Each structure stands twice: as structure tokens, then as C-alpha cells.
Amino acid sequence: MRAPAPGLEPAFEVEARIGALEDHGVTRAGHRRVVPITGGRVTGLFTADILPGGADWQLVRPDGAIEIDTRYSARTADGGHVYIRTFGVRSGRPEVLEALLRGDAVDPSDYYFRLGVRLETSVPALAALEQSVFIASAIREADRVRYAAYRVT
């Protein structure tokens, strides 16, 4: 027997508004940057407003690639919560990454920005979200990150 080949199903889209980057300098783990998440919206398999207070705890690697580690919460219209965590990498030519850091508009095909997405919730109607694996393709803009998430079948 063979394991089934995975596929992708569109699942949800995220638009997360972000605040000013906080440069924490070089730590024992590497060059640490923290980007506050100030709000936003999730639409698709569930709809929710992203709450302020989350952040992306980035590590800039020696090769220039950025390790992504976000944690934030979203609230559904009926008051339920979904905890969202992403992990991934954004990489590209140095001049492209510098343009993104400045907030310049950059064609998403000029850099690589992919995420794994984990969801956690106590909302019974959304419990199935915790039983799937999601991946995403993301875009970095001056004041937001947008991504399309796909359920791995």
C-alpha cells in the first residue's frame, strides 16, 4: 500500500495589519526582530477579526533569510476565539528584502514567503480546523501581511 498523495484545498485568507518593526539586535539566537500585529481579518472556512496584541518574532539568519514565528488571536462574530500560529521563511535577493523592509511595493514573485499554519480553538463548530494541516503563500506589504491558506488533503 502507498500513502495517498496530498493535495491542496483553498481554506481561508488572512490580512494582518502590522505595526513598526522593533529591532532587538543580535541575541544568542540570532538577529531578533519583533513586528506587532495590530488587527486584521480572516475570511473563508471561518470569519474572524484579528485582535491586537500578537506579533511576529522574526530571526534574521546569516544568509539573510527571515524565519517567521507569529502568534495571534482572532475573534468570531459570536465571540469565539481562534489562536493562529504561523512558522515559515521569507527569503530573496538582498535588495528585494531591503525594499520590503523599507515598505516599498515589491512583486511577490520576486521573493519567497511561505508558511505553515496551526489553528487552535474552543469553538465546537470550528473544531475540525484543529484536525488539519494548513500551508500558506504570503505577501509582505508596507503595513500588512496577506496570505492565502490551503488545507493539505
Side-chain angles (χ1 to χ4, degrees):
M1 281 200 227
R2 297 183 114 178
L8 298 177
E9 295 176 347
F12 54 91
E13 294 188 9
V14 170
E15 181 175 310
R17 291 188 309 274
I18 56 176
L21 179 143
E22 302 165 4
D23 192 330
H24 289 217
V26 177
T27 71
R28 65 181 166 83
H31 185 169
R32 177 69 67 187
R33 302 187 316 198
V34 178
V35 181
I37 296 172
T38 62
R41 187 97 170 130
V42 181
T43 56
L45 290 179
F46 68 103
T47 301
D49 292 319
I50 296 171
L51 302 173
D56 179 5
W57 285 265
Q58 301 178 347
L59 262 181
V60 182
R61 299 188 321 211
D63 66 1
I66 301 155
E67 292 184 12
I68 304 297
D69 177 13
T70 68
R71 290 166 251 164
Y72 54 100
S73 295
R75 184 171 40 235
T76 63
D78 61 359
H81 289 90
V82 179
Y83 169 64
I84 303 168
R85 181 158 188 193
T86 72
F87 53 94
V89 67
R90 186 169 67 235
S91 61
R93 295 184 321 275
E95 62 273 15
V96 170
L97 296 176
E98 289 168 14
L100 287 170
L101 187 59
R102 287 192 306 269
D104 296 351
V106 176
D107 185 329
S109 66
D110 287 342
Y111 58 97
Y112 181 88
F113 191 2
R114 301 294 185 270
L115 304 168
V117 183
R118 296 185 64 188
L119 303 175
E120 181 182 321
T121 185
S122 62
V123 178
L126 300 178
L129 296 172
E130 297 179 315
Q131 299 173 6
S132 293
V133 171
F134 298 93
I135 61 169
S137 181
I139 297 171
R140 173 68 154 90
E141 296 175 339
D143 63 349
R144 70 194 66 231
V145 169
R146 294 185 297 122
Y147 63 85
Y150 298 84
R151 181 180 168 271
V152 179
T153 61

